[in-house]
PDB file of all heavy atoms in Angstrom:
ATOM      1  N   GLU A   1       8.147   0.582  -8.636  1.00  0.00           N
ATOM      2  CA  GLU A   1       8.257  -0.331  -7.502  1.00  0.00           C
ATOM      3  C   GLU A   1       7.079  -0.089  -6.565  1.00  0.00           C
ATOM      4  O   GLU A   1       6.758   1.046  -6.219  1.00  0.00           O
ATOM      5  CB  GLU A   1       9.559  -0.102  -6.745  1.00  0.00           C
ATOM      6  CG  GLU A   1       9.712  -1.032  -5.544  1.00  0.00           C
ATOM      7  CD  GLU A   1      10.921  -0.671  -4.687  1.00  0.00           C
ATOM      8  OE1 GLU A   1      10.943   0.462  -4.155  1.00  0.00           O
ATOM      9  OE2 GLU A   1      11.826  -1.507  -4.565  1.00  0.00           O
ATOM     10  N   GLN A   2       6.433  -1.177  -6.190  1.00  0.00           N
ATOM     11  CA  GLN A   2       5.333  -1.127  -5.232  1.00  0.00           C
ATOM     12  C   GLN A   2       5.790  -1.774  -3.924  1.00  0.00           C
ATOM     13  O   GLN A   2       6.281  -2.902  -3.933  1.00  0.00           O
ATOM     14  CB  GLN A   2       4.116  -1.880  -5.782  1.00  0.00           C
ATOM     15  CG  GLN A   2       2.910  -1.900  -4.860  1.00  0.00           C
ATOM     16  CD  GLN A   2       1.844  -2.870  -5.351  1.00  0.00           C
ATOM     17  OE1 GLN A   2       1.987  -4.088  -5.199  1.00  0.00           O
ATOM     18  NE2 GLN A   2       0.790  -2.338  -5.954  1.00  0.00           N
ATOM     19  N   VAL A   3       5.647  -1.038  -2.820  1.00  0.00           N
ATOM     20  CA  VAL A   3       5.971  -1.587  -1.505  1.00  0.00           C
ATOM     21  C   VAL A   3       4.715  -1.501  -0.647  1.00  0.00           C
ATOM     22  O   VAL A   3       4.179  -0.411  -0.413  1.00  0.00           O
ATOM     23  CB  VAL A   3       7.124  -0.829  -0.832  1.00  0.00           C
ATOM     24  CG1 VAL A   3       7.405  -1.415   0.550  1.00  0.00           C
ATOM     25  CG2 VAL A   3       8.382  -0.889  -1.697  1.00  0.00           C
ATOM     26  N   LEU A   4       4.229  -2.650  -0.215  1.00  0.00           N
ATOM     27  CA  LEU A   4       3.002  -2.728   0.575  1.00  0.00           C
ATOM     28  C   LEU A   4       3.313  -3.336   1.935  1.00  0.00           C
ATOM     29  O   LEU A   4       3.760  -4.480   2.022  1.00  0.00           O
ATOM     30  CB  LEU A   4       1.961  -3.569  -0.162  1.00  0.00           C
ATOM     31  CG  LEU A   4       0.660  -3.871   0.591  1.00  0.00           C
ATOM     32  CD1 LEU A   4      -0.055  -2.587   0.994  1.00  0.00           C
ATOM     33  CD2 LEU A   4      -0.249  -4.760  -0.265  1.00  0.00           C
ATOM     34  N   ASP A   5       3.092  -2.542   2.976  1.00  0.00           N
ATOM     35  CA  ASP A   5       3.213  -3.036   4.346  1.00  0.00           C
ATOM     36  C   ASP A   5       1.817  -3.364   4.865  1.00  0.00           C
ATOM     37  O   ASP A   5       0.931  -2.491   4.864  1.00  0.00           O
ATOM     38  CB  ASP A   5       3.851  -1.988   5.256  1.00  0.00           C
ATOM     39  CG  ASP A   5       5.331  -1.787   4.983  1.00  0.00           C
ATOM     40  OD1 ASP A   5       5.914  -2.610   4.256  1.00  0.00           O
ATOM     41  OD2 ASP A   5       5.896  -0.802   5.493  1.00  0.00           O
ATOM     42  N   ILE A   6       1.618  -4.602   5.307  1.00  0.00           N
ATOM     43  CA  ILE A   6       0.345  -5.031   5.888  1.00  0.00           C
ATOM     44  C   ILE A   6       0.613  -5.446   7.324  1.00  0.00           C
ATOM     45  O   ILE A   6       1.435  -6.334   7.578  1.00  0.00           O
ATOM     46  CB  ILE A   6      -0.279  -6.189   5.097  1.00  0.00           C
ATOM     47  CG1 ILE A   6      -0.615  -5.728   3.679  1.00  0.00           C
ATOM     48  CG2 ILE A   6      -1.519  -6.708   5.796  1.00  0.00           C
ATOM     49  CD1 ILE A   6      -1.247  -6.798   2.815  1.00  0.00           C
ATOM     50  N   THR A   7      -0.063  -4.775   8.266  1.00  0.00           N
ATOM     51  CA  THR A   7       0.168  -5.029   9.686  1.00  0.00           C
ATOM     52  C   THR A   7      -1.092  -5.576  10.335  1.00  0.00           C
ATOM     53  O   THR A   7      -2.161  -4.956  10.268  1.00  0.00           O
ATOM     54  CB  THR A   7       0.586  -3.733  10.409  1.00  0.00           C
ATOM     55  OG1 THR A   7       1.749  -3.190   9.770  1.00  0.00           O
ATOM     56  CG2 THR A   7       0.892  -4.007  11.873  1.00  0.00           C
ATOM     57  N   PHE A   8      -0.951  -6.759  10.943  1.00  0.00           N
ATOM     58  CA  PHE A   8      -2.024  -7.355  11.735  1.00  0.00           C
ATOM     59  C   PHE A   8      -1.776  -6.999  13.201  1.00  0.00           C
ATOM     60  O   PHE A   8      -0.652  -7.116  13.690  1.00  0.00           O
ATOM     61  CB  PHE A   8      -2.052  -8.872  11.561  1.00  0.00           C
ATOM     62  CG  PHE A   8      -2.382  -9.318  10.165  1.00  0.00           C
ATOM     63  CD1 PHE A   8      -1.369  -9.518   9.224  1.00  0.00           C
ATOM     64  CD2 PHE A   8      -3.693  -9.537   9.777  1.00  0.00           C
ATOM     65  CE1 PHE A   8      -1.662  -9.930   7.934  1.00  0.00           C
ATOM     66  CE2 PHE A   8      -4.002  -9.950   8.484  1.00  0.00           C
ATOM     67  CZ  PHE A   8      -2.981 -10.145   7.563  1.00  0.00           C
ATOM     68  N   LEU A   9      -2.804  -6.577  13.893  1.00  0.00           N
ATOM     69  CA  LEU A   9      -2.693  -6.106  15.268  1.00  0.00           C
ATOM     70  C   LEU A   9      -3.380  -7.080  16.215  1.00  0.00           C
ATOM     71  O   LEU A   9      -4.527  -7.467  15.991  1.00  0.00           O
ATOM     72  CB  LEU A   9      -3.327  -4.715  15.398  1.00  0.00           C
ATOM     73  CG  LEU A   9      -2.751  -3.649  14.463  1.00  0.00           C
ATOM     74  CD1 LEU A   9      -3.653  -2.432  14.425  1.00  0.00           C
ATOM     75  CD2 LEU A   9      -1.343  -3.271  14.917  1.00  0.00           C
ATOM     76  N   ASP A  10      -2.674  -7.443  17.294  1.00  0.00           N
ATOM     77  CA  ASP A  10      -3.208  -8.444  18.216  1.00  0.00           C
ATOM     78  C   ASP A  10      -4.544  -8.031  18.818  1.00  0.00           C
ATOM     79  O   ASP A  10      -5.432  -8.869  19.020  1.00  0.00           O
ATOM     80  CB  ASP A  10      -2.208  -8.699  19.351  1.00  0.00           C
ATOM     81  CG  ASP A  10      -0.935  -9.377  18.871  1.00  0.00           C
ATOM     82  OD1 ASP A  10      -0.843  -9.682  17.657  1.00  0.00           O
ATOM     83  OD2 ASP A  10      -0.018  -9.578  19.693  1.00  0.00           O
ATOM     84  N   ARG A  11      -4.704  -6.733  19.113  1.00  0.00           N
ATOM     85  CA  ARG A  11      -5.934  -6.300  19.777  1.00  0.00           C
ATOM     86  C   ARG A  11      -7.078  -6.036  18.806  1.00  0.00           C
ATOM     87  O   ARG A  11      -8.184  -5.713  19.231  1.00  0.00           O
ATOM     88  CB  ARG A  11      -5.677  -5.064  20.632  1.00  0.00           C
ATOM     89  CG  ARG A  11      -5.332  -3.803  19.875  1.00  0.00           C
ATOM     90  CD  ARG A  11      -5.212  -2.596  20.801  1.00  0.00           C
ATOM     91  NE  ARG A  11      -4.123  -2.711  21.741  1.00  0.00           N
ATOM     92  CZ  ARG A  11      -3.449  -1.687  22.261  1.00  0.00           C
ATOM     93  NH1 ARG A  11      -3.772  -0.446  21.907  1.00  0.00           N
ATOM     94  NH2 ARG A  11      -2.476  -1.877  23.124  1.00  0.00           N
ATOM     95  N   TYR A  12      -6.826  -6.201  17.500  1.00  0.00           N
ATOM     96  CA  TYR A  12      -7.863  -5.993  16.490  1.00  0.00           C
ATOM     97  C   TYR A  12      -7.922  -7.191  15.543  1.00  0.00           C
ATOM     98  O   TYR A  12      -7.581  -7.087  14.365  1.00  0.00           O
ATOM     99  CB  TYR A  12      -7.591  -4.715  15.694  1.00  0.00           C
ATOM    100  CG  TYR A  12      -7.675  -3.456  16.510  1.00  0.00           C
ATOM    101  CD1 TYR A  12      -6.516  -2.832  16.974  1.00  0.00           C
ATOM    102  CD2 TYR A  12      -8.905  -2.892  16.831  1.00  0.00           C
ATOM    103  CE1 TYR A  12      -6.586  -1.673  17.735  1.00  0.00           C
ATOM    104  CE2 TYR A  12      -8.981  -1.731  17.594  1.00  0.00           C
ATOM    105  CZ  TYR A  12      -7.817  -1.129  18.037  1.00  0.00           C
ATOM    106  OH  TYR A  12      -7.899   0.014  18.797  1.00  0.00           O
ATOM    107  N   PRO A  13      -8.352  -8.355  16.023  1.00  0.00           N
ATOM    108  CA  PRO A  13      -8.424  -9.521  15.133  1.00  0.00           C
ATOM    109  C   PRO A  13      -9.372  -9.263  13.966  1.00  0.00           C
ATOM    110  O   PRO A  13     -10.449  -8.696  14.126  1.00  0.00           O
ATOM    111  CB  PRO A  13      -8.953 -10.634  16.049  1.00  0.00           C
ATOM    112  CG  PRO A  13      -9.574  -9.934  17.215  1.00  0.00           C
ATOM    113  CD  PRO A  13      -8.812  -8.665  17.390  1.00  0.00           C
ATOM    114  N   GLY A  14      -8.932  -9.657  12.793  1.00  0.00           N
ATOM    115  CA  GLY A  14      -9.742  -9.454  11.594  1.00  0.00           C
ATOM    116  C   GLY A  14      -9.440  -8.174  10.853  1.00  0.00           C
ATOM    117  O   GLY A  14     -10.013  -7.931   9.788  1.00  0.00           O
ATOM    118  N   LEU A  15      -8.529  -7.354  11.378  1.00  0.00           N
ATOM    119  CA  LEU A  15      -8.233  -6.055  10.771  1.00  0.00           C
ATOM    120  C   LEU A  15      -6.754  -5.967  10.414  1.00  0.00           C
ATOM    121  O   LEU A  15      -5.896  -6.400  11.185  1.00  0.00           O
ATOM    122  CB  LEU A  15      -8.621  -4.930  11.727  1.00  0.00           C
ATOM    123  CG  LEU A  15      -8.463  -3.490  11.233  1.00  0.00           C
ATOM    124  CD1 LEU A  15      -9.568  -2.613  11.833  1.00  0.00           C
ATOM    125  CD2 LEU A  15      -7.106  -2.908  11.590  1.00  0.00           C
ATOM    126  N   ALA A  16      -6.477  -5.371   9.260  1.00  0.00           N
ATOM    127  CA  ALA A  16      -5.094  -5.166   8.827  1.00  0.00           C
ATOM    128  C   ALA A  16      -4.927  -3.741   8.334  1.00  0.00           C
ATOM    129  O   ALA A  16      -5.789  -3.212   7.613  1.00  0.00           O
ATOM    130  CB  ALA A  16      -4.720  -6.144   7.721  1.00  0.00           C
ATOM    131  N   LEU A  17      -3.823  -3.118   8.726  1.00  0.00           N
ATOM    132  CA  LEU A  17      -3.474  -1.796   8.225  1.00  0.00           C
ATOM    133  C   LEU A  17      -2.673  -1.941   6.931  1.00  0.00           C
ATOM    134  O   LEU A  17      -1.788  -2.798   6.840  1.00  0.00           O
ATOM    135  CB  LEU A  17      -2.647  -1.023   9.254  1.00  0.00           C
ATOM    136  CG  LEU A  17      -3.328  -0.689  10.574  1.00  0.00           C
ATOM    137  CD1 LEU A  17      -2.367   0.063  11.489  1.00  0.00           C
ATOM    138  CD2 LEU A  17      -4.598   0.121  10.353  1.00  0.00           C
ATOM    139  N   TYR A  18      -2.983  -1.097   5.950  1.00  0.00           N
ATOM    140  CA  TYR A  18      -2.304  -1.091   4.657  1.00  0.00           C
ATOM    141  C   TYR A  18      -1.521   0.212   4.516  1.00  0.00           C
ATOM    142  O   TYR A  18      -2.099   1.295   4.560  1.00  0.00           O
ATOM    143  CB  TYR A  18      -3.323  -1.149   3.521  1.00  0.00           C
ATOM    144  CG  TYR A  18      -3.808  -2.524   3.119  1.00  0.00           C
ATOM    145  CD1 TYR A  18      -4.332  -3.409   4.052  1.00  0.00           C
ATOM    146  CD2 TYR A  18      -3.770  -2.929   1.792  1.00  0.00           C
ATOM    147  CE1 TYR A  18      -4.800  -4.655   3.684  1.00  0.00           C
ATOM    148  CE2 TYR A  18      -4.233  -4.174   1.396  1.00  0.00           C
ATOM    149  CZ  TYR A  18      -4.752  -5.034   2.358  1.00  0.00           C
ATOM    150  OH  TYR A  18      -5.210  -6.270   1.973  1.00  0.00           O
ATOM    151  N   GLU A  19      -0.209   0.097   4.326  1.00  0.00           N
ATOM    152  CA  GLU A  19       0.636   1.254   4.033  1.00  0.00           C
ATOM    153  C   GLU A  19       1.295   1.006   2.682  1.00  0.00           C
ATOM    154  O   GLU A  19       2.151   0.138   2.561  1.00  0.00           O
ATOM    155  CB  GLU A  19       1.676   1.446   5.133  1.00  0.00           C
ATOM    156  CG  GLU A  19       1.061   1.769   6.492  1.00  0.00           C
ATOM    157  CD  GLU A  19       2.084   1.774   7.608  1.00  0.00           C
ATOM    158  OE1 GLU A  19       2.420   0.679   8.102  1.00  0.00           O
ATOM    159  OE2 GLU A  19       2.558   2.875   7.970  1.00  0.00           O
ATOM    160  N   MET A  20       0.876   1.789   1.693  1.00  0.00           N
ATOM    161  CA  MET A  20       1.303   1.558   0.318  1.00  0.00           C
ATOM    162  C   MET A  20       2.108   2.738  -0.197  1.00  0.00           C
ATOM    163  O   MET A  20       1.752   3.902   0.029  1.00  0.00           O
ATOM    164  CB  MET A  20       0.073   1.360  -0.569  1.00  0.00           C
ATOM    165  CG  MET A  20       0.371   1.260  -2.055  1.00  0.00           C
ATOM    166  SD  MET A  20       1.158  -0.308  -2.496  1.00  0.00           S
ATOM    167  CE  MET A  20      -0.313  -1.346  -2.613  1.00  0.00           C
ATOM    168  N   ARG A  21       3.186   2.436  -0.908  1.00  0.00           N
ATOM    169  CA  ARG A  21       3.941   3.479  -1.579  1.00  0.00           C
ATOM    170  C   ARG A  21       4.457   2.966  -2.923  1.00  0.00           C
ATOM    171  O   ARG A  21       4.750   1.768  -3.078  1.00  0.00           O
ATOM    172  CB  ARG A  21       5.079   4.005  -0.716  1.00  0.00           C
ATOM    173  CG  ARG A  21       6.047   2.975  -0.189  1.00  0.00           C
ATOM    174  CD  ARG A  21       6.931   3.571   0.911  1.00  0.00           C
ATOM    175  NE  ARG A  21       7.869   2.608   1.440  1.00  0.00           N
ATOM    176  CZ  ARG A  21       7.592   1.752   2.421  1.00  0.00           C
ATOM    177  NH1 ARG A  21       6.388   1.733   2.960  1.00  0.00           N
ATOM    178  NH2 ARG A  21       8.520   0.917   2.870  1.00  0.00           N
ATOM    179  N   TYR A  22       4.516   3.899  -3.863  1.00  0.00           N
ATOM    180  CA  TYR A  22       5.003   3.601  -5.209  1.00  0.00           C
ATOM    181  C   TYR A  22       6.219   4.478  -5.496  1.00  0.00           C
ATOM    182  O   TYR A  22       6.180   5.692  -5.264  1.00  0.00           O
ATOM    183  CB  TYR A  22       3.923   3.882  -6.257  1.00  0.00           C
ATOM    184  CG  TYR A  22       2.754   2.926  -6.206  1.00  0.00           C
ATOM    185  CD1 TYR A  22       1.589   3.271  -5.524  1.00  0.00           C
ATOM    186  CD2 TYR A  22       2.808   1.695  -6.842  1.00  0.00           C
ATOM    187  CE1 TYR A  22       0.506   2.405  -5.477  1.00  0.00           C
ATOM    188  CE2 TYR A  22       1.742   0.817  -6.805  1.00  0.00           C
ATOM    189  CZ  TYR A  22       0.588   1.173  -6.114  1.00  0.00           C
ATOM    190  OH  TYR A  22      -0.477   0.309  -6.070  1.00  0.00           O
ATOM    191  N   ARG A  23       7.264   3.869  -6.036  1.00  0.00           N
ATOM    192  CA  ARG A  23       8.469   4.616  -6.397  1.00  0.00           C
ATOM    193  C   ARG A  23       8.711   4.490  -7.897  1.00  0.00           C
ATOM    194  O   ARG A  23       8.628   3.385  -8.457  1.00  0.00           O
ATOM    195  CB  ARG A  23       9.679   4.093  -5.620  1.00  0.00           C
ATOM    196  CG  ARG A  23      10.963   4.917  -5.857  1.00  0.00           C
ATOM    197  CD  ARG A  23      12.024   4.551  -4.838  1.00  0.00           C
ATOM    198  NE  ARG A  23      12.464   3.171  -4.981  1.00  0.00           N
ATOM    199  CZ  ARG A  23      13.519   2.772  -5.707  1.00  0.00           C
ATOM    200  NH1 ARG A  23      14.238   3.685  -6.369  1.00  0.00           N
ATOM    201  NH2 ARG A  23      13.853   1.505  -5.775  1.00  0.00           N
ATOM    202  N   ASN A  24       8.951   5.622  -8.510  1.00  0.00           N
ATOM    203  CA  ASN A  24       9.272   5.631  -9.938  1.00  0.00           C
ATOM    204  C   ASN A  24      10.719   5.177 -10.107  1.00  0.00           C
ATOM    205  O   ASN A  24      11.663   5.927  -9.845  1.00  0.00           O
ATOM    206  CB  ASN A  24       9.070   7.038 -10.509  1.00  0.00           C
ATOM    207  CG  ASN A  24       9.298   7.087 -12.015  1.00  0.00           C
ATOM    208  OD1 ASN A  24       9.759   6.127 -12.620  1.00  0.00           O
ATOM    209  ND2 ASN A  24       8.977   8.233 -12.611  1.00  0.00           N
ATOM    210  N   THR A  25      10.899   3.945 -10.553  1.00  0.00           N
ATOM    211  CA  THR A  25      12.246   3.390 -10.743  1.00  0.00           C
ATOM    212  C   THR A  25      12.682   3.457 -12.200  1.00  0.00           C
ATOM    213  O   THR A  25      13.717   2.890 -12.571  1.00  0.00           O
ATOM    214  CB  THR A  25      12.288   1.931 -10.255  1.00  0.00           C
ATOM    215  OG1 THR A  25      11.208   1.204 -10.857  1.00  0.00           O
ATOM    216  CG2 THR A  25      12.161   1.858  -8.745  1.00  0.00           C
ATOM    217  N   GLY A  26      11.882   4.140 -13.028  1.00  0.00           N
ATOM    218  CA  GLY A  26      12.244   4.314 -14.423  1.00  0.00           C
ATOM    219  C   GLY A  26      13.045   5.586 -14.642  1.00  0.00           C
ATOM    220  O   GLY A  26      13.505   6.239 -13.687  1.00  0.00           O
ATOM    221  N   THR A  27      13.178   5.967 -15.866  1.00  0.00           N
ATOM    222  CA  THR A  27      13.983   7.141 -16.220  1.00  0.00           C
ATOM    223  C   THR A  27      13.144   8.298 -16.724  1.00  0.00           C
ATOM    224  O   THR A  27      13.688   9.345 -17.095  1.00  0.00           O
ATOM    225  CB  THR A  27      15.010   6.760 -17.301  1.00  0.00           C
ATOM    226  OG1 THR A  27      14.314   6.274 -18.453  1.00  0.00           O
ATOM    227  CG2 THR A  27      15.966   5.693 -16.786  1.00  0.00           C
ATOM    228  N   THR A  28      11.841   8.130 -16.768  1.00  0.00           N
ATOM    229  CA  THR A  28      10.951   9.190 -17.248  1.00  0.00           C
ATOM    230  C   THR A  28       9.927   9.537 -16.182  1.00  0.00           C
ATOM    231  O   THR A  28       9.562   8.693 -15.350  1.00  0.00           O
ATOM    232  CB  THR A  28      10.210   8.753 -18.518  1.00  0.00           C
ATOM    233  OG1 THR A  28       9.341   7.660 -18.190  1.00  0.00           O
ATOM    234  CG2 THR A  28      11.175   8.341 -19.606  1.00  0.00           C
ATOM    235  N   PRO A  29       9.434  10.777 -16.170  1.00  0.00           N
ATOM    236  CA  PRO A  29       8.357  11.129 -15.237  1.00  0.00           C
ATOM    237  C   PRO A  29       7.123  10.261 -15.505  1.00  0.00           C
ATOM    238  O   PRO A  29       6.850   9.876 -16.644  1.00  0.00           O
ATOM    239  CB  PRO A  29       8.079  12.601 -15.543  1.00  0.00           C
ATOM    240  CG  PRO A  29       9.311  13.094 -16.222  1.00  0.00           C
ATOM    241  CD  PRO A  29       9.856  11.927 -16.992  1.00  0.00           C
ATOM    242  N   LEU A  30       6.420   9.976 -14.461  1.00  0.00           N
ATOM    243  CA  LEU A  30       5.232   9.123 -14.543  1.00  0.00           C
ATOM    244  C   LEU A  30       4.004   9.960 -14.185  1.00  0.00           C
ATOM    245  O   LEU A  30       3.888  10.449 -13.063  1.00  0.00           O
ATOM    246  CB  LEU A  30       5.378   7.937 -13.587  1.00  0.00           C
ATOM    247  CG  LEU A  30       4.366   6.801 -13.718  1.00  0.00           C
ATOM    248  CD1 LEU A  30       4.490   6.116 -15.077  1.00  0.00           C
ATOM    249  CD2 LEU A  30       4.573   5.785 -12.595  1.00  0.00           C
ATOM    250  N   ALA A  31       3.094  10.141 -15.136  1.00  0.00           N
ATOM    251  CA  ALA A  31       1.876  10.924 -14.906  1.00  0.00           C
ATOM    252  C   ALA A  31       0.793  10.000 -14.366  1.00  0.00           C
ATOM    253  O   ALA A  31       0.264   9.150 -15.092  1.00  0.00           O
ATOM    254  CB  ALA A  31       1.420  11.590 -16.190  1.00  0.00           C
ATOM    255  N   ILE A  32       0.489  10.169 -13.094  1.00  0.00           N
ATOM    256  CA  ILE A  32      -0.475   9.305 -12.409  1.00  0.00           C
ATOM    257  C   ILE A  32      -1.814  10.030 -12.316  1.00  0.00           C
ATOM    258  O   ILE A  32      -1.891  11.180 -11.882  1.00  0.00           O
ATOM    259  CB  ILE A  32       0.039   8.929 -11.012  1.00  0.00           C
ATOM    260  CG1 ILE A  32       1.339   8.127 -11.130  1.00  0.00           C
ATOM    261  CG2 ILE A  32      -1.011   8.133 -10.237  1.00  0.00           C
ATOM    262  CD1 ILE A  32       2.023   7.867  -9.806  1.00  0.00           C
ATOM    263  N   ALA A  33      -2.867   9.331 -12.722  1.00  0.00           N
ATOM    264  CA  ALA A  33      -4.217   9.905 -12.668  1.00  0.00           C
ATOM    265  C   ALA A  33      -4.976   9.468 -11.424  1.00  0.00           C
ATOM    266  O   ALA A  33      -5.925  10.137 -11.019  1.00  0.00           O
ATOM    267  CB  ALA A  33      -5.009   9.510 -13.910  1.00  0.00           C
ATOM    268  N   GLY A  34      -4.577   8.350 -10.815  1.00  0.00           N
ATOM    269  CA  GLY A  34      -5.283   7.882  -9.632  1.00  0.00           C
ATOM    270  C   GLY A  34      -4.753   6.543  -9.171  1.00  0.00           C
ATOM    271  O   GLY A  34      -3.779   6.009  -9.721  1.00  0.00           O
ATOM    272  N   TRP A  35      -5.427   5.977  -8.170  1.00  0.00           N
ATOM    273  CA  TRP A  35      -4.980   4.722  -7.579  1.00  0.00           C
ATOM    274  C   TRP A  35      -6.148   4.054  -6.859  1.00  0.00           C
ATOM    275  O   TRP A  35      -7.191   4.683  -6.612  1.00  0.00           O
ATOM    276  CB  TRP A  35      -3.839   4.959  -6.586  1.00  0.00           C
ATOM    277  CG  TRP A  35      -4.123   6.062  -5.587  1.00  0.00           C
ATOM    278  CD1 TRP A  35      -3.772   7.378  -5.694  1.00  0.00           C
ATOM    279  CD2 TRP A  35      -4.865   5.946  -4.354  1.00  0.00           C
ATOM    280  NE1 TRP A  35      -4.230   8.093  -4.614  1.00  0.00           N
ATOM    281  CE2 TRP A  35      -4.900   7.243  -3.764  1.00  0.00           C
ATOM    282  CE3 TRP A  35      -5.483   4.905  -3.692  1.00  0.00           C
ATOM    283  CZ2 TRP A  35      -5.537   7.497  -2.550  1.00  0.00           C
ATOM    284  CZ3 TRP A  35      -6.125   5.143  -2.482  1.00  0.00           C
ATOM    285  CH2 TRP A  35      -6.139   6.430  -1.926  1.00  0.00           C
ATOM    286  N   ARG A  36      -5.961   2.801  -6.541  1.00  0.00           N
ATOM    287  CA  ARG A  36      -6.903   2.107  -5.656  1.00  0.00           C
ATOM    288  C   ARG A  36      -6.113   1.179  -4.746  1.00  0.00           C
ATOM    289  O   ARG A  36      -5.013   0.721  -5.097  1.00  0.00           O
ATOM    290  CB  ARG A  36      -7.960   1.331  -6.444  1.00  0.00           C
ATOM    291  CG  ARG A  36      -7.462   0.084  -7.147  1.00  0.00           C
ATOM    292  CD  ARG A  36      -8.606  -0.812  -7.629  1.00  0.00           C
ATOM    293  NE  ARG A  36      -8.088  -2.000  -8.288  1.00  0.00           N
ATOM    294  CZ  ARG A  36      -8.230  -2.274  -9.577  1.00  0.00           C
ATOM    295  NH1 ARG A  36      -8.885  -1.434 -10.369  1.00  0.00           N
ATOM    296  NH2 ARG A  36      -7.722  -3.394 -10.083  1.00  0.00           N
ATOM    297  N   VAL A  37      -6.676   0.890  -3.591  1.00  0.00           N
ATOM    298  CA  VAL A  37      -6.036  -0.008  -2.634  1.00  0.00           C
ATOM    299  C   VAL A  37      -7.123  -0.740  -1.854  1.00  0.00           C
ATOM    300  O   VAL A  37      -8.238  -0.219  -1.679  1.00  0.00           O
ATOM    301  CB  VAL A  37      -5.094   0.790  -1.684  1.00  0.00           C
ATOM    302  CG1 VAL A  37      -5.879   1.706  -0.765  1.00  0.00           C
ATOM    303  CG2 VAL A  37      -4.196  -0.135  -0.878  1.00  0.00           C
ATOM    304  N   ALA A  38      -6.815  -1.958  -1.416  1.00  0.00           N
ATOM    305  CA  ALA A  38      -7.728  -2.768  -0.599  1.00  0.00           C
ATOM    306  C   ALA A  38      -9.116  -2.851  -1.219  1.00  0.00           C
ATOM    307  O   ALA A  38     -10.136  -2.697  -0.545  1.00  0.00           O
ATOM    308  CB  ALA A  38      -7.808  -2.213   0.819  1.00  0.00           C
ATOM    309  N   THR A  39      -9.165  -3.106  -2.512  1.00  0.00           N
ATOM    310  CA  THR A  39     -10.428  -3.167  -3.245  1.00  0.00           C
ATOM    311  C   THR A  39     -10.757  -4.625  -3.573  1.00  0.00           C
ATOM    312  O   THR A  39      -9.955  -5.317  -4.212  1.00  0.00           O
ATOM    313  CB  THR A  39     -10.344  -2.335  -4.531  1.00  0.00           C
ATOM    314  OG1 THR A  39     -10.074  -0.973  -4.176  1.00  0.00           O
ATOM    315  CG2 THR A  39     -11.629  -2.415  -5.327  1.00  0.00           C
ATOM    316  N   HIS A  40     -11.931  -5.065  -3.126  1.00  0.00           N
ATOM    317  CA  HIS A  40     -12.309  -6.469  -3.285  1.00  0.00           C
ATOM    318  C   HIS A  40     -13.804  -6.587  -3.539  1.00  0.00           C
ATOM    319  O   HIS A  40     -14.579  -5.693  -3.188  1.00  0.00           O
ATOM    320  CB  HIS A  40     -11.944  -7.271  -2.033  1.00  0.00           C
ATOM    321  CG  HIS A  40     -10.474  -7.323  -1.752  1.00  0.00           C
ATOM    322  ND1 HIS A  40      -9.624  -8.198  -2.385  1.00  0.00           N
ATOM    323  CD2 HIS A  40      -9.702  -6.589  -0.907  1.00  0.00           C
ATOM    324  CE1 HIS A  40      -8.389  -8.010  -1.946  1.00  0.00           C
ATOM    325  NE2 HIS A  40      -8.402  -7.037  -1.050  1.00  0.00           N
TER     326      HIS A  40
END
């Protein structure tokens, strides 16, 4: 499960905060090697 919170701030037009979390909703351990966020 991926949950992404994106917050726009009134005093910072053009900027958004990204708060990302991943939850293992399966039944086996998940071996994670890395991640990326806000990549464009």
Side-chain angles (χ1 to χ4, degrees):
E1 180 188 61
Q2 180 191 76
V3 179
L4 174 59
D5 289 348
I6 297 180
T7 303
F8 295 90
L9 303 166
D10 293 358
R11 67 175 65 151
Y12 295 100
L15 184 146
L17 296 179
Y18 275 53
E19 296 172 279
M20 174 72 82
R21 54 193 180 274
Y22 291 97
R23 185 167 65 93
N24 184 351
T25 51
T27 59
T28 65
L30 191 64
I32 297 172
W35 49 266
R36 72 166 180 247
V37 68
T39 300
H40 297 279

